Amino acid sequence: MTEKAMAMTLSTATYEYQVIPAPRKGKKARGVKGADGRFANAMQDVLNEAAAEGWEYLRADTLPSEERSGLTGRNTVYQNMLVFRRQLDVDLPMATTDDAASVLAPLAETPSAEPEAQSHAPSLPSAQDANLTSGAAPEITHNASEREAE
């Protein structure tokens, strides 16, 4: 089997995401005191459960959600969400130098479309010429051939 025939692969990171609502209230546990401690315990349990399933905690987001209020009314409420991701392995073929040469060769053989067309727009003076402190304004020529003649 030749080197060109060998399949070379490059592993790139691709992720899938999971979004779940953050806990709204704390969870009692032995030795945990106070509302903030119970809430931290609830968060810890959610994060550990997701990690056990292979999910990596990414961030917490507060997102608006429009909900019904009464028969015809609408109300915007903000939801706290926890975002997790899990890596998926995807193998992509990696191009060899021979492959790149075969792709680029036809491009090198293609003749350029047309020689540069002459512009009819006036050529402006360079920035250096424009910054001269002489009393006279720099001369503006109407095409490149007149400017080169100077």
Side-chain angles (χ1 to χ4, degrees):
M1 181 177 267
T2 66
E3 183 179 331
K4 189 175 182 180
M6 284 187 200
M8 296 178 64
T9 60
L10 175 65
S11 180
T12 60
T14 304
Y15 298 96
E16 67 176 322
Y17 294 87
Q18 177 184 30
V19 180
I20 61 172
R24 292 187 183 267
K25 56 184 178 179
K27 183 177 178 184
K28 290 182 180 180
R30 179 174 287 186
V32 177
K33 296 183 180 180
D36 55 344
R38 287 192 295 272
F39 185 76
N41 185 44
M43 282 290 294
Q44 177 179 305
D45 285 351
V46 169
L47 295 174
N48 285 335
E49 287 172 13
E53 295 172 8
W55 294 100
E56 174 188 2
Y57 173 72
L58 195 57
R59 67 175 177 263
D61 284 331
T62 301
L63 301 170
S65 174
E66 193 172 277
E67 295 181 355
R68 289 168 88 183
S69 175
L71 290 175
T72 59
R74 297 238 176 242
N75 204 13
T76 301
V77 260
Y78 292 89
Q79 303 290 338
N80 294 315
M81 308 303 285
L82 303 176
V83 181
F84 296 88
R85 72 178 181 180
R86 178 165 56 187
Q87 186 172 349
L88 299 174
D89 291 327
V90 177
D91 292 333
L92 300 175
M94 184 170 53
T96 62
T97 55
D98 294 336
D99 295 337
S102 66
V103 169
L104 296 176
L107 296 176
E109 296 170 4
T110 307
S112 60
E114 291 182 17
E116 287 186 32
Q118 284 190 347
S119 173
H120 297 290
S123 59
L124 300 174
S126 69
Q128 189 174 18
D129 293 341
N131 289 331
L132 295 175
T133 57
S134 68
E139 183 180 332
I140 297 176
T141 57
H142 289 284
N143 64 32
S145 60
E146 289 178 14
R147 183 158 177 86
E148 292 172 3
E150 292 179 357

